[in-house]
Amino acid sequence: MSVVARAQRVSKVVAPMASKALGVSSARSFTGTAPAQNKVTVVGAAGGIGQPMSLLMKLGGKIDHLSLFDIVNTPGVAADISHCNSKGKVTGHKGAEEMATALDGADVVVIPAGVPRKPGMTRDDLFNTNASIVKGIAEQCAKSCPKACFLIISNPVNSTVPIFADVLKANGVYNPQKLMGVTTLDVCRAKTFVAENQGMDVDKVDVTVIGGHAGTTIMPLLSQVEGAKFSEEDIKALTHRIQFGGDEVVQAKDGAGSATLSMAHAGAYFADKVLDGLNGVEGVKECTFVDCDLTDAPFFASPCTLGKDGVSKIHGFSGLSTFEQALVDDNVSALVKMAQKGSDFVKNN
């Protein structure tokens, strides 16, 4: 049963209850058949993204131990989620003193920790607060689970991933194959918006999204969507909507939050695919923000094969349209600056 079907069945039972708020993709279902044999830690598990994402990951049935960490409230979240009748134990840990226990021996660490965006804020506006949070998490990860795969959701991803990398380097435990910025929500939005525009089945639409995870650094390759016929106006409008889809949610929530539920879905989906790769499932290919030399930017998102050691192959991109090539040319320098901003933060703090 897919995670969507599970969620629909659960929703019929718990509908009266209210809960506190979260390319290239494989066609495999979310729940798969690989046996549960992994410890996954969610850092920021009591937040708007962390709670629904942790629920989806528990329902996935692939995780032997789901370890939830946040500054407050995590034991309650863990107790709640642990009552779901799917495989895997759930533990909750709170406060800085319990972070090491939460992380110890983790195979995958998913990090949605940090403050959300508010109306009028860019992802870069979050930098000062979230940079400190991510740096502290990276320092503890370097000690407690240096061989884990680290999936970074905390914004601004274009800077927080370089922060995480530099902290791991400083501790002598950096493995570029195991550090990934989660750009999956950009792919989810691209598939959804393209399917709506073209009248396609969203489950059969593949859209590669390269670049970064902020504004115009998000670059969907619409010219490569099989079977699609876009006008120039469609391409411009869809590209802009994919790039600034997060703003739609921030504005629609009228100051009450950012994209939490859709990000929870995207984060759980990507973590699931990383687990597939670690567990030996072949042909798992997803877009993610990684350390690479595809451009002058030290980190860049492109399709990657996920394997037993994390990212096993970076596929890159080719055959761009004139419009898409212009996006790359215009935004690589911005990605370089954002990465440098992250590195400078680590150096100076």
Side-chain angles (χ1 to χ4, degrees):
M1 182 181 292
S2 72
V3 71
V4 173
R6 284 179 180 273
Q8 288 174 340
R9 189 169 71 175
V10 171
S11 68
K12 291 178 182 178
V13 177
V14 301
M17 300 182 180
S19 62
K20 183 179 178 183
L22 111 97
V24 178
S25 61
S26 168
R28 296 181 179 85
S29 69
F30 186 86
T31 50
T33 57
Q37 55 185 352
N38 304 97
K39 176 178 178 178
V40 177
T41 300
V42 178
V43 181
I49 296 171
Q51 288 197 47
M53 185 175 71
S54 298
L55 171 63
L56 291 172
M57 293 172 72
K58 176 67 164 69
L59 294 177
K62 291 182 182 178
I63 300 170
D64 181 53
H65 179 186
L66 181 61
S67 175
L68 306 183
F69 174 80
D70 213 321
I71 300 302
V72 296
N73 301 328
T74 336
V77 175
D80 198 356
I81 291 175
S82 72
H83 292 182
C84 296
N85 58 320
S86 57
K87 294 180 181 179
K89 72 175 182 179
V90 184
T91 58
H93 313 270
K94 68 176 182 178
E97 67 281 359
E98 295 186 20
M99 185 185 291
T101 301
L103 290 167
D104 185 48
D107 298 293
V108 178
V109 181
V110 192
I111 306 171
V115 298
R117 280 201 300 157
K118 296 180 180 179
M121 292 178 69
T122 65
R123 288 180 176 86
D124 211 44
D125 292 332
L126 303 177
F127 179 81
N128 288 331
T129 298
N130 287 355
S132 296
I133 293 171
V134 169
K135 181 174 179 287
I137 295 168
E139 289 169 346
Q140 187 60 60
C141 286
K143 299 173 183 176
S144 299
C145 53
K147 296 183 179 181
C149 286
F150 303 110
L151 315 185
I152 313 301
I153 294 172
S154 306
N155 275 316
V157 166
N158 295 350
S159 296
T160 55
V161 172
I163 287 172
F164 215 94
D166 282 1
V167 172
L168 295 179
K169 289 175 185 176
N171 285 272
V173 294
Y174 179 53
N175 182 346
Q177 290 180 266
K178 293 193 171 185
L179 177 61
M180 294 159 254
V182 180
T183 59
T184 311
L185 182 52
D186 302 325
V187 178
C188 293
R189 286 177 174 141
K191 294 175 68 172
T192 300
F193 302 161
V194 166
E196 290 174 353
N197 178 270
Q198 295 287 300
M200 292 177 165
D201 181 346
V202 70
D203 291 329
K204 297 179 180 179
V205 175
D206 281 334
V207 186
T208 297
V209 183
I210 64 172
H213 183 59
T216 58
T217 68
I218 299 167
M219 298 176 256
L221 304 187
L222 300 180
S223 69
Q224 299 181 13
V225 178
E226 187 174 349
K229 295 180 179 179
F230 300 111
S231 67
E232 289 186 16
E233 291 74 18
D234 284 337
I235 290 174
K236 291 179 181 178
L238 281 170
T239 297
H240 185 272
R241 191 180 179 201
I242 293 163
Q243 291 173 333
F244 296 96
D247 291 349
E248 282 188 26
V249 179
V250 171
Q251 292 165 10
K253 289 189 175 182
D254 197 22
S258 58
T260 52
L261 299 175
S262 53
M263 187 63 245
H265 158 69
Y269 175 88
F270 185 71
D272 181 82
K273 295 306 175 186
V274 171
L275 284 172
D276 276 349
L278 293 177
N279 290 332
V281 176
E282 296 183 357
V284 182
K285 193 176 178 183
E286 297 293 332
C287 293
T288 183
F289 187 68
V290 293
D291 185 331
C292 63
D293 58 3
L294 296 175
T295 68
D296 289 339
F299 293 86
F300 199 86
S302 79
C304 295
T305 295
L306 305 175
K308 293 183 178 180
D309 297 309
V311 175
S312 61
K313 184 176 181 178
I314 300 170
H315 295 276
F317 54 92
S318 61
L320 304 189
S321 68
T322 301
F323 178 80
E324 291 159 356
Q325 187 61 57
L327 284 177
V328 174
D329 294 341
D330 291 343
N331 284 283
V332 166
S333 61
L335 286 167
V336 171
K337 291 177 182 177
M338 292 174 188
Q340 187 61 51
K341 186 173 183 178
S343 293
D344 289 344
F345 181 86
V346 175
K347 186 184 303 182
N348 299 322
N349 292 273

